[in-house]
Amino acid sequence: MQGISSETANGAGYALHRLRQVLRRWDVVACLAVAATFLLYPNIDLTVSAWFFSPDEGWYLADHPMALFIYHGAEQVAWIVGLTLLIVYVTGRLRPAWISADRRAIAAFVLLSTLMGPLLVVNAGFKEHWGRAKPKDVAEFGGHAAYSGALRPASQCASNCSFPSGHATVGYAFLAFALVVPRRRRLWLVTGTALGLTVGAVRIVQGGHFLSDVLFSGFVVWFCALGALYVRDNLTTRAIRERWSSWRQPKRLRPARSPQ
C-alpha cells in the first residue's frame, strides 16, 4: 500500500487550514447555525407566521398604520440613499475638491455592494427563481400554494417569491458601511441589522415573508458585501493595474555582505 504523497498531504493540510479559518468567522458560524435550525425544525416559519394570522381576520396587522409606514417608507429610503450615494460619487469625480477621495470611495463601494446583493442576487436572482410561496399564499393561511421549508427550492411561485425578503435588504444594505468605515464598524453593524430586522418584521406580520426569509436576506446581503469588497480590492481596473505593475517590477537584489 503506497503512502500519501507529499503534494496530496500538503494540499489536504492547506484545505483543512482554510476550513478552520472559515469556521472561525462569526458570520459563517451564525449562518450555519441558523440554517441547521430551520432544516431541523422547518415548521418554525409556520409557527411564527401563525402568531399574526387569524382565520376570521386574516393578517390582522397588515394594514396597521405603522406597518404601512415602514413598508412604503423602506422603498422611499432605498431611492433616497441610492441617489444620494450616486450624486456623491459623480460629484466627487467631476469636482474632486468638493468631496474627498475617501467619501467618494465609500459611496462607490456601497453602491457596488447594493448592486450585487439586494438588486442582483436577492431580487433578480433568488426571488425570481427559488419558487417559495409567501405565507399569505400557502394553504395553512387560506391560500392555495403548498408550504415549502427554508432553503428548499420549490415550484409554488412564479415571480417575486418569498425567499429571501427583498424589503429587508433595504435595511441590511447599510451593513456595507461597516466594511469601509472601520471607526464606526460596530455602529453600522448594529444599524444595518436593526433596520433589516425591523423592515423584515413588518413583512412577517403582513404575511409577505417567513422568518427565515428575513434572516437569510441579511446573510445574503452581508456575504455579497464581502464579495464586493473582494471585487474592489482585486478585480477593479486600478487593482489589476497595480498588480500587473508589481509583477513586472524586477525583484530587488539584496546588497552583498562585505567579507569580514
Side-chain angles (χ1 to χ4, degrees), residues 80-93 99 107 111:
I80 293 173
V81 173
L83 289 175
T84 300
L85 292 173
L86 184 61
I87 291 172
V88 168
Y89 177 73
V90 173
T91 304
R93 296 285 294 183
I99 298 176
L111 284 172

Side-chain angles (χ1 to χ4, degrees), residues 9-29:
N10 291 336
Y14 176 75
L16 182 60
H17 172 69
R18 293 293 298 171
L19 178 60
R20 288 175 178 173
Q21 285 185 322
V22 169
L23 294 179
R24 286 173 183 164
R25 294 186 57 94
W26 64 267
D27 46 7
V28 173
V29 173

Side-chain angles (χ1 to χ4, degrees), residues 149-173:
L151 300 179
R152 296 176 180 176
S155 58
Q156 299 299 311
C157 171
S159 179
N160 190 27
C161 303
S162 187
F163 182 86
S165 172
H167 269 74
T169 62
V170 176
Y172 290 132

Side-chain angles (χ1 to χ4, degrees), residues 2-229:
Q2 297 180 349
I4 300 176
S5 65
S6 60
E7 293 183 359
T8 302
N10 291 336
Y14 176 75
L16 182 60
H17 172 69
R18 293 293 298 171
L19 178 60
R20 288 175 178 173
Q21 285 185 322
V22 169
L23 294 179
R24 286 173 183 164
R25 294 186 57 94
W26 64 267
D27 46 7
V28 173
V29 173
C31 183
L32 292 176
V34 173
T37 300
F38 281 97
L39 289 175
L40 292 174
Y41 306 100
N43 289 331
I44 291 178
D45 278 330
L46 290 175
T47 300
V48 173
S49 293
W51 296 343
F52 309 101
F53 177 82
S54 169
D56 298 327
E57 303 177 50
W59 302 95
Y60 52 86
L61 293 177
D63 295 326
H64 189 280
M66 183 58 68
L68 293 176
F69 174 78
I70 295 176
Y71 174 75
H72 295 294
E75 298 175 350
Q76 303 302 321
V77 168
W79 281 104
I80 293 173
V81 173
L83 289 175
T84 300
L85 292 173
L86 184 61
I87 291 172
V88 168
Y89 177 73
V90 173
T91 304
R93 296 285 294 183
L94 299 177
R95 294 290 188 270
W98 293 3
I99 298 176
S100 66
D102 289 341
R103 292 185 177 181
R104 185 173 69 246
I106 291 173
F109 173 75
V110 177
L111 284 172
L112 175 62
S113 176
T114 303
L115 176 65
M116 289 179 60
L119 294 180
L120 293 180
V121 176
V122 173
N123 284 288
F126 281 117
K127 287 183 67 65
E128 294 299 316
H129 300 91
W130 199 256
R132 188 187 198 190
K134 295 184 176 183
K136 60 184 179 182
D137 296 325
V138 301
E140 287 80 354
F141 301 120
H144 300 285
Y147 169 74
S148 52
L151 300 179
R152 296 176 180 176
S155 58
Q156 299 299 311
C157 171
S159 179
N160 190 27
C161 303
S162 187
F163 182 86
S165 172
H167 269 74
T169 62
V170 176
Y172 290 132
F174 286 90
L175 292 171
F177 285 100
L179 298 176
V180 286
V181 187
R183 293 184 178 180
R184 298 289 185 269
R185 177 181 174 86
R186 184 173 297 180
L187 173 63
W188 284 114
L189 285 175
V190 173
T191 300
T193 302
L195 290 175
L197 291 176
T198 299
V199 177
V202 168
R203 298 300 291 134
I204 291 175
V205 304
Q206 291 179 323
H209 286 289
F210 290 107
L211 174 62
S212 60
D213 300 330
V214 174
L215 297 180
F216 284 108
S217 176
F219 286 120
V220 171
V221 171
W222 173 250
F223 288 123
C224 284
L226 293 175
L229 190 65

